[in-house]
Amino acid sequence: MKRVRKEAKNEKGVDTIYEYEIEVWFGDLDSFGHVNNAKLFTYLEAGRFKYFKTRLGSLKDVEFVLARAEVDFLAPICLGDVVLVKMWVGKIGNSSWEFLYSVVNKETSEEVAKAKSVQVWYDFKKMRSEPIPDNIKKVLEGDKE
């Protein structure tokens, strides 16, 4: 998996990293007092939907399934921490694409996790993958690393 990269702008001067902030609550913790590993996947899931809502203005007609997700846990995330989930687009295929993530402690700037997910555009009526629509592919390509 790739490490976090510095913020970069595409040819239109638009930031190619999407990021959002999460404050850690008690319910996010496991018995060891840090964020449960499964909860981190929830943070990434929220990012995927926030990404499309921000980039497209709506989640209407955004239909994909998660095919793969992997996380490297680098440091504990604790109660009261605020983390930034930074994400950008990796490889884009015909019907699938990667999101790459860096989770950073906002106060210390320490990278606490890095992750990758693979999404597949999916037609839920036909129950099969489909090519990524041109308007979606254009958005993804605009945020590609």
Side-chain angles (χ1 to χ4, degrees):
M1 238 183 300
K2 296 180 182 178
R3 292 299 238 165
V4 64
R5 66 194 175 103
K6 301 219 186 283
E7 282 74 3
K9 303 213 180 273
N10 65 16
E11 67 278 354
K12 295 177 185 168
V14 177
D15 217 349
T16 59
I17 292 180
Y18 174 76
E19 72 177 50
Y20 68 100
E21 192 174 285
I22 295 176
E23 183 177 357
V24 176
W25 293 93
F26 183 77
D28 297 347
L29 306 180
D30 60 19
S31 61
F32 300 107
H34 52 70
V35 170
N36 182 282
N37 59 354
K39 190 64 175 181
L40 193 61
F41 285 98
T42 303
Y43 294 172
L44 303 180
E45 176 185 41
R48 289 189 291 276
F49 287 96
K50 287 175 180 281
Y51 171 87
F52 279 113
K53 189 168 184 183
T54 299
R55 294 297 197 250
L56 300 174
S58 167
L59 294 176
K60 186 179 182 219
D61 301 323
V62 175
E63 298 184 351
F64 63 86
V65 293
L66 183 66
R68 180 180 174 86
E70 59 185 82
V71 174
D72 290 337
F73 300 96
L74 305 174
I77 306 169
C78 300
L79 181 64
D81 284 350
V82 176
V83 294
L84 298 174
V85 177
K86 299 180 179 193
M87 57 187 292
W88 58 96
V89 178
K91 296 177 187 171
I92 303 171
N94 183 50
S95 62
S96 66
W97 70 95
E98 293 177 337
F99 277 131
L100 305 172
Y101 311 81
S102 176
V103 183
V104 176
N105 182 306
K106 185 177 179 183
E107 184 179 332
T108 66
S109 298
E110 177 184 17
E111 184 179 35
V112 295
K114 59 183 179 173
K116 177 171 76 171
S117 63
V118 177
Q119 296 68 220
V120 176
W121 198 262
Y122 199 78
D123 185 320
F124 288 94
K125 290 179 185 167
K126 296 177 185 174
M127 299 295 289
R128 67 175 191 213
S129 64
E130 296 277 325
I132 302 167
D134 290 341
N135 66 317
I136 302 296
K137 196 171 244 187
K138 184 177 180 181
V139 169
L140 294 170
E141 287 171 346
D143 290 333
K144 193 169 183 318
E145 68 172 345

